[in-house]
Amino acid sequence: MSGVPKKRDSFASKFGVIAATAGSAIGLGNIWRFPYVAGENGGGAFLIIYLSFVLLIGIPVMTSEFIIGRKSRRNVFGAFRKLAPGSYWYLIGLMGVVAAFMILAFYTAVAGWTLEYTYQSVVNGFEKLSSHELSGMYESFIGSPWKPLFWFFVFMLLTSLIIIAGVQRGIEKYSKILMPFLFVLLLILVVRSITLPGAKGGIVFLFKPDFSKITTSTILEALGQAFFSLSIGMGTLITYSSYFRKKEKLGSVAVSVAAADTFIAILAGIAIFPAVFAFNIEPNSGEGLVYITLPGIFQQMYGGYFFSIIFFVLLGVAALTSTTSVMEVIVAFFVEEFYLSRKAATLLTTLSVSILGVMCVLSTSTMADVKLFDFTIFGLMNFTSANILLPLGGFSIVIFVGWRMGRKKVYEELTNKGKLKAGYIPMFMFIVKFLAPLGITFIFLQGVGLIKL
Ligand code: PHE
């Protein structure tokens, strides 16, 4: 049996629910990953496919996680044990915990870089560097073991301090402060970027669809990006929604969070592409777009010193509300399944994730030659979690809700036992039973090369 403490912590306000859940969704995925993936996949055309996946697959998977989480009020493993006792469904929960380990390890590594870049912005470390030198600076930073390790541990520490404080007094409290702060910082950047001379090219690039750029890999990238960005497919949102109150409207929370996540990704695009175009940089410069290109742009920009600080603080804040959500998956699992105190569980999580995390950090330096299936450890964690475990988890979650829980329980959760109208339920059931599983399967098989279109 799951060892659930007598009084389970919970989110105390509607704004807290939205801020925490949107805080999980909005992160490096929106501000670091989305612009470069969109940039590499043709801008506007990618955006349209991405939006349709968020709508048709993302929101239904998210709603399904909410149904499972709030109905069971358990960690991701305990949730499946409780809702489907005596079956093997708990394996999905276990897979979620494993995915959480992997994501937390490599994501915290990248999150640590935001701290170094904030520090460099403050001490004016980018001053007068050419783009070539900036790229050298990036390479030598990630290519040396100590600094990235140091920042990795600082970020782990920040995350665990929020987690130890609890759901209401940690996660909810800090999300309510940090998310509006993030939004204001981003708006400042957007205004600066679109008022640069030559900004228009960036806006056109982001919004004007050029369908000749669409390939099968674009479609898989869009699905992977949607899953990663919305934090779905591994039980982060099952865990968070297990702390939702009974009166929360699950459907509307899902729509609000998905809308906020998408809106922030687009705003990040609007903050970045006009600047990229105004300074004649290739929009498809890849992962370095944020860490190499932007410091260069800030150098040439009036007030760039401040905008650089704002940007990297923003990136760090966004990452922090996401790492807490991933850590909570593991901590809730340890607390409820192994009867640990929250403090002990957090300590255990931090230590065990750090082992994998250190290997991820060192993947760009001393362990660069350690390869598994042709990937560095960092690359392997990144690839398998986002492109394999999340779609597989998302698939299993919609199948569970559509075929195992069934219409009656879904109806109960989505209407709060008949109190709300939810005219969308027939459509939702159709999507979780047929459309989403078939869509995910098809894109997945195509993506790993098992079928060819
Ligand atoms: N959604 C987060 C982001 O966009 C990352 C994340 C993935 C968080 C999976 C939790 C679970 O940065």
Side-chain angles (χ1 to χ4, degrees):
M1 259 330 278
S2 296
V4 182
K6 274 188 211 80
K7 176 138 180 24
R8 232 173 156 262
D9 209 348
S10 86
F11 292 122
S13 64
K14 185 170 173 215
F15 179 59
V17 163
I18 305 270
T21 313
S24 167
I26 296 166
L28 296 171
N30 305 58
I31 303 166
W32 165 66
R33 202 169 187 273
F34 175 80
Y36 88 76
V37 173
E40 283 174 339
N41 288 284
F46 176 85
L47 188 60
I48 291 178
I49 301 181
Y50 176 77
L51 291 179
S52 30
F53 285 163
V54 168
L55 215 62
L56 289 175
I57 300 180
I59 295 177
V61 174
M62 187 183 282
T63 310
S64 301
E65 292 205 23
F66 288 169
I67 293 172
I68 296 172
R70 195 181 58 178
K71 176 116 194 98
S72 66
R73 298 211 164 282
R74 289 289 188 281
N75 70 87
V76 61
F77 173 85
F80 287 101
R81 289 266 296 242
K82 182 166 174 195
L83 299 179
S87 70
Y88 285 110
W89 284 102
Y90 67 82
L91 290 174
I92 307 173
L94 224 45
M95 187 169 84
V97 176
V98 171
F101 264 95
M102 296 166 62
I103 293 182
L104 197 53
F106 84 85
Y107 195 91
T108 310
V110 183
W113 304 350
T114 66
L115 300 180
E116 165 74 10
Y117 272 68
T118 304
Y119 168 75
Q120 290 297 342
S121 305
V122 172
V123 300
N124 221 346
F126 309 123
E127 204 183 9
K128 303 217 170 72
L129 297 187
S130 66
S131 63
H132 188 69
E133 288 165 321
L134 282 166
S135 135
M137 183 174 171
Y138 172 74
E139 301 293 335
S140 82
F141 165 62
I142 62 169
S144 70
W146 297 112
K147 273 198 211 164
L149 273 180
F150 172 72
W151 293 120
F152 168 84
F153 283 111
V154 173
F155 214 93
M156 268 306 218
L157 182 72
L158 291 175
T159 309
S160 44
L161 288 178
I162 295 181
I163 291 297
I164 286 184
V167 173
Q168 208 176 102
R169 278 185 288 182
I171 300 171
E172 179 170 1
K173 180 174 144 195
Y174 290 102
S175 305
K176 275 160 68 178
I177 304 169
L178 294 175
M179 293 313 287
F181 178 57
L182 174 144
F183 187 64
V184 172
L185 293 185
L186 191 55
L187 282 185
I188 298 175
L189 282 173
V190 165
V191 171
R192 171 67 277 203
S193 191
I194 55 176
T195 50
L196 287 169
K200 207 173 139 233
I203 301 287
V204 170
F205 176 78
L206 187 60
F207 291 107
K208 195 167 165 230
D210 172 1
F211 286 101
S212 68
K213 298 264 172 58
I214 302 276
T215 62
T216 45
S217 78
T218 314
I219 295 175
L220 182 70
E221 284 282 1
L223 185 76
Q225 177 60 24
F227 269 77
F228 189 79
S229 187
L230 294 170
S231 302
I232 53 179
M234 54 160 280
T236 309
L237 300 186
I238 292 181
T239 308
Y240 266 19
S241 59
S242 75
Y243 306 124
F244 288 5
R245 296 169 305 178
K246 283 289 173 206
K247 63 180 173 202
E248 243 55 83
K249 301 171 184 159
L250 299 185
S252 99
V253 175
V255 172
S256 314
V257 169
D261 187 68
T262 309
F263 184 58
I264 297 287
I266 293 176
L267 276 188
I270 302 179
I272 290 165
F273 286 118
V276 165
F277 275 73
F279 292 100
N280 273 323
I281 287 155
E282 285 300 315
N284 58 351
S285 333
E287 291 150 54
L289 192 67
V290 157
Y291 287 100
I292 301 172
T293 320
L294 282 185
I297 293 171
F298 293 135
Q299 282 314 298
Q300 304 169 44
M301 190 188 259
Y302 183 72
Y305 175 78
F306 294 103
F307 290 110
S308 177
I309 299 176
I310 291 175
F311 180 78
F312 288 109
V313 169
L314 166 82
L315 205 56
V317 165
L320 185 59
T321 51
S322 297
T323 49
T324 45
S325 73
V326 188
M327 190 181 273
E328 181 62 27
V329 171
I330 310 172
V331 169
F333 169 70
F334 282 153
V335 167
E336 293 178 357
E337 304 301 325
F338 296 95
Y339 306 91
L340 294 182
S341 70
R342 199 168 169 85
K343 242 195 195 133
T346 309
L347 194 66
L348 182 64
T349 305
T350 305
L351 291 178
S352 47
V353 170
S354 292
I355 298 173
L356 196 58
V358 165
M359 293 195 258
C360 288
V361 173
L362 298 181
S363 289
T364 46
S365 55
T366 39
M367 288 178 73
D369 294 332
V370 181
K371 296 263 169 86
L372 275 166
F373 310 105
D374 230 20
F375 285 110
T376 61
I377 312 245
F378 179 103
L380 189 71
M381 296 302 121
N382 187 351
F383 181 86
T384 23
S385 62
N387 295 344
I388 298 178
L389 297 183
L390 296 190
L392 206 61
F395 173 84
S396 320
I397 285 164
V398 282
I399 293 283
F400 184 80
V401 168
W403 296 93
R404 166 87 201 209
M405 282 182 86
R407 196 186 179 87
K408 193 167 156 278
K409 287 192 184 131
V410 167
Y411 178 86
E412 259 179 39
E413 279 308 310
L414 291 182
T415 61
N416 293 352
K417 296 221 161 85
K419 284 197 217 65
L420 306 171
K421 277 211 198 79
Y424 60 85
I425 290 181
M427 186 180 70
F428 173 78
M429 287 310 284
F430 173 76
I431 294 181
V432 294
K433 281 182 122 160
F434 305 105
L435 187 82
L438 286 174
I440 297 170
T441 308
F442 184 73
I443 299 167
F444 181 73
L445 293 180
Q446 173 86 27
V448 293
L450 285 176
I451 54 170
K452 279 241 172 330
L453 197 68

